Amino acid sequence: MENNLKKETEKIISECQECGLCSNGCNFLAESASPAEMARRGITLEEAYGCALCAKCKAVCPFGLSPQPMFQARRVKAIQNQELDQEEFNYFMPDYEENVMNVYRQYYHIDYRDLEIDESSDTYFFPGCTLMTYSPKLTREIYSRLHKKLGCRGILTECCGLPLHQMGLTDRAQRYTDFLIEKITGHGIKRLITACPNCYYLLRETLKSTGVEILTIYEVVDFPDNSQGNLPKCTIHDSCPDRFEGIFARQTRAALKNYGVEIVEMANILQDSPCCGSGGQISHFRPDLADKLVHNRLEEAKHTGAQILVSYCLSCVLNFARIDIDSELTVRHVLNLLLGVDEDYTDVKKQAAKIFAE
Ligand code: SF4
Ligand code: SF4
């Protein structure tokens, strides 16, 4: 790990041309020193937590360079050196009982204990904490479809653990991963169906030694085709974890086109897509940068003439829906359209904030 980082850092020092292409596509890099300069002098604490860990810089760099691993490593060091108080951000940590999602579900009486669970089922649904917390209607609809189509008879209401990894909490992340592996293998689960790209890619990595198959909902559920209805024109925001493989990007575009939705693309899509502002937990450390990302993306979406901005990641959807840019553009999850379950996400973040203000 340390050797890899050393190699990456040396590569940046020797190969970065300081051409500015990466800074052009990233507000955070635009206000920072060049990657070569940072590699030479080391990463500050503020820089480490200002990066959205979105990897767009790697996608745009002609040499495939990215300072992201240096920021991630600096986060780990900051935790080891106790430069930050972990208590301050426990509120979004999955291993902390009173985290915001658990509290939200308790407050709004959202739970899934009434769903039919068969302990002998080897196929479970893993909705991910954002979807199961903020979109119980979609979560239930997906579960019901998986139940009918695949005989899926189980739902795991855990987080994939991403915030622990992103914050550099390596020990806690490892303990959480061990807990997930024990739970999944203990239930005899052979297949997990995911709806969130963050969960999909992280679980595929952390569970690879277990042989558990990780699938996306888009490859297992039958969606409607050739709708005769008057469908709105859509534009799609691609989510960061899907940047290089594009699995969700392809599957959701195919499903929407098959349904008869007209897609109008923004200028920056697929590998070039910007972060929605929720990556790397920057909304905690740099809310100004997070808001800028949202505003810029909403403007870009507005200029396509689309009526709906969709994403296949609910964190992106919630982040876009929280800001009103005075436009007719509505923000939805792809599955709201494909499953015919409409939801208004405009006030979700406010509803969460309200609980903590009381
Ligand atoms: S795009 Fe690549 S070469 Fe250009 S400044 Fe960024 S890291 Fe350096
Ligand atoms: S990972 Fe994203 S936020 Fe971080 S430096 Fe690269 S482009 Fe900027």
Side-chain angles (χ1 to χ4, degrees), residues 315-338:
S315 295
C316 302
V317 170
L318 298 180
N319 223 24
F320 293 137
R322 76 187 166 86
I323 290 186
D324 181 7
I325 56 153
D326 191 24
S327 115
E328 295 298 306
L329 192 72
T330 54
V331 184
R332 292 291 185 271
H333 195 287
V334 171
L335 291 168
N336 289 126
L337 266 67
L338 294 174

Side-chain angles (χ1 to χ4, degrees), residues 22 25-26 28-29 50-58 66-68 71:
C22 53
C26 168
F28 160 66
L29 276 184
C51 168
L53 309 177
C54 72
K56 180 171 174 172
C57 44
K58 189 177 180 66
S66 169
Q68 180 184 335
F71 299 128

Side-chain angles (χ1 to χ4, degrees), residues 64-298:
L65 303 173
S66 169
Q68 180 184 335
M70 297 192 300
F71 299 128
Q72 180 69 58
R74 182 67 181 87
R75 288 181 175 209
V76 172
K77 197 171 152 206
I79 297 294
Q80 284 168 352
N81 294 346
Q82 300 184 342
E83 292 170 68
L84 293 175
D85 178 6
Q86 294 185 31
E87 295 282 313
E88 263 182 39
F89 42 81
N90 263 341
Y91 74 94
F92 56 84
M93 289 300 142
D95 62 350
Y96 179 69
E97 192 54 36
E98 296 293 301
N99 71 54
V100 63
M101 307 243 192
N102 284 351
V103 172
Y104 186 98
R105 291 198 302 277
Q106 277 159 21
Y107 188 90
Y108 291 107
H109 308 293
I110 298 165
D111 76 60
Y112 299 96
R113 282 174 294 185
D114 61 307
L115 293 179
E116 183 194 339
I117 302 290
D118 176 354
E119 293 284 331
S120 66
S121 174
D122 65 3
T123 303
Y124 270 55
F125 177 36
F126 194 101
C129 49
T130 309
L131 188 78
M132 72 174 174
T133 301
Y134 301 116
S135 188
K137 269 162 79 180
L138 265 185
T139 304
R140 283 174 176 276
E141 181 62 27
I142 296 167
Y143 183 75
S144 140
R145 303 241 178 169
L146 293 175
H147 192 113
K148 281 187 208 131
K149 172 85 194 292
L150 288 182
C152 163
R153 288 195 171 36
I155 181 165
L156 285 181
T157 54
E158 271 75 32
C159 170
C160 64
L162 185 68
L164 293 163
H165 293 273
Q166 289 192 326
M167 284 300 297
L169 295 157
T170 46
D171 292 346
R172 284 169 66 178
Q174 189 55 55
R175 279 198 295 277
Y176 193 80
T177 301
D178 292 344
F179 151 76
L180 271 185
I181 291 176
E182 205 179 311
K183 177 146 192 179
I184 289 163
T185 53
H187 275 76
I189 296 170
K190 301 275 186 290
R191 269 194 305 189
L192 277 179
I193 316 299
T194 58
C196 164
N198 279 312
C199 299
Y200 174 82
Y201 287 105
L202 183 57
L203 291 175
R204 206 182 62 175
E205 181 60 27
T206 54
L207 297 178
K208 70 179 172 208
S209 62
T210 65
V212 175
E213 190 181 13
I214 313 294
L215 298 166
T216 80
I217 175 174
Y218 305 99
E219 54 195 312
V220 294
V221 162
D222 296 324
F223 296 110
D225 53 16
N226 296 323
S227 162
Q228 301 302 312
N230 192 14
L231 294 168
K233 218 191 268 184
C234 262
T235 193
I236 306 178
H237 169 78
D238 292 300
S239 154
C240 299
D242 197 49
R243 184 178 306 284
F244 294 108
E245 294 195 44
I247 293 171
F248 285 73
R250 282 192 298 279
Q251 291 175 351
T252 53
R253 279 173 175 78
L256 286 169
K257 280 183 188 156
N258 199 36
Y259 186 33
V261 171
E262 183 188 347
I263 299 171
V264 279
E265 299 284 12
M266 289 181 272
N268 296 293
I269 59 166
L270 309 173
Q271 290 211 357
D272 290 340
S273 181
C275 171
C276 71
S278 66
Q281 314 299 336
I282 58 161
S283 51
H284 177 87
F285 296 95
R286 290 293 309 268
D288 58 324
L289 280 181
D291 284 358
K292 208 165 176 182
L293 282 162
V294 176
H295 276 283
N296 291 348
R297 195 56 163 164
L298 288 174

Side-chain angles (χ1 to χ4, degrees), residues 12 15-23 29 34-36 57 60-67:
I12 292 177
E15 292 182 21
C16 173
Q17 307 293 308
E18 303 191 279
C19 68
L21 274 177
C22 53
S23 325
L29 276 184
S34 73
C57 44
V60 301
C61 175
F63 309 102
L65 303 173
S66 169

